[in-house]
Amino acid sequence: MRVAQWEDYELIDCSDGERLERWGDIILIRPDPQIIWHTEKKHPLWRQAHARYQRSSSGGGAWQYNKKVPSQWEIKYKELTFGIKPMGFKHTGVFPEQAVNWDLVSDKIRNAGRQVNVLNMFAYTGAATLACLEAGARVCHVDASKGMVQWAKDNSRLSGLADRPVRWLVDDCVKFVQREQRRGNKYDGIIMDPPSYGRGPGGEVWKLEEQLYSLVELCLPILSDDALFFVLNSYTTGLPPSVMEYLLSVMIKPEHGGKVTSSEIGLHVTQSGLALPCGSTAVWER
């Protein structure tokens, strides 16, 4: 397992389906269905957290505040700065376990010795985009949510990267890639972090494990001849990293060579010294 290392974020403890987390100076408790163990909650911050996300029996949930929490605050990862705020459905705007992938693509870009063009699809609040920009790449950031793209722009300003070469696009990722094919545009790196569930242009429901092959296949024509990487992330429990590794191996290696690796990604738990798995990643690299 690849485990992210932070200073401004800490997974303090986890038990009974919940995480006890420190986001800068703010302590939050959030649900996590993977945490199926019932270890004793000895840490005093379990009883002193600023806020806890409580799920509702009828679906969804809401934040319950025990102390005053800013409407937004900032945390840093190395040279990057992110705005954090409690959102609906327990999120905060950053998936801290993804830091291992930000480091991976940053190293690839810095060591390339040339201009690198990156496409970040389903790009959310832009953490991977910022990592690529900070390393010197040109980035095309695509997400269907106008609010998320604006948040990513705000993060670029917080990180001092607002003047870097980036296209901020509110668009359907599939339609965008189809247009890029017609335009003949190419990318040296592609980052894909699709949702587990979604709706197609006609409102049809789709599942990632059923659509992933076609999503990757769609991107092959826009991968440059001397491409550096293709990063595929998933939080779908029915899609293990070995399946994603196999997928990238049979789709990319025949034409581009290179190697494919996969792993769970996770976070170090301070209280236990263990690592909590938080998702899966497969990476093709030259």
Side-chain angles (χ1 to χ4, degrees), residues 26 28 30 51 53 63 65 69-73 84-93 151:
I26 304 298
L28 301 179
R30 298 191 297 154
Y53 187 89
W63 288 95
Y65 294 93
V69 174
S71 58
Q72 180 169 311
W73 66 98
I84 299 296
K85 56 186 175 184
M87 302 162 59
F89 197 62
K90 78 177 181 179
H91 295 309
T92 61
W151 196 338

Side-chain angles (χ1 to χ4, degrees), residues 17-112:
E18 292 183 313
R19 299 183 185 190
L20 177 66
E21 302 170 300
R22 177 179 60 81
W23 299 82
D25 296 328
I26 304 298
I27 306 300
L28 301 179
I29 298 174
R30 298 191 297 154
D32 187 328
Q34 289 196 113
I35 301 171
I36 60 173
W37 44 91
H38 306 287
T39 50
E40 186 179 353
K41 295 179 176 179
K42 295 180 179 180
H43 201 288
L45 288 177
W46 280 110
R47 296 172 294 279
Q48 300 170 20
H50 289 77
R52 180 185 224 133
Y53 187 89
Q54 288 285 116
R55 289 200 184 278
S56 169
S57 58
S58 58
W63 288 95
Q64 296 184 348
Y65 294 93
N66 304 312
K67 302 178 183 179
K68 187 176 181 180
V69 174
S71 58
Q72 180 169 311
W73 66 98
E74 298 171 10
I75 66 170
K76 292 182 69 69
Y77 180 77
K78 297 183 177 178
E79 303 302 319
L80 307 178
T81 302
F82 310 113
I84 299 296
K85 56 186 175 184
M87 302 162 59
F89 197 62
K90 78 177 181 179
H91 295 309
T92 61
V94 171
F95 291 88
E97 64 275 3
Q98 289 292 337
V100 292
N101 290 326
W102 310 336
D103 289 343
L104 183 150
V105 297
S106 295
D107 289 344
K108 290 290 180 186
I109 293 164
R110 287 194 177 93
N111 294 330

Side-chain angles (χ1 to χ4, degrees), residues 8 21 42 69 107 125 145 164 166 181 187 189 247 259:
D8 277 7
E21 302 170 300
K42 295 180 179 180
V69 174
D107 289 344
T125 59
S145 168
R164 298 295 177 97
V166 56
Q181 287 185 18
Y187 294 90
L247 183 73
K259 66 176 182 177

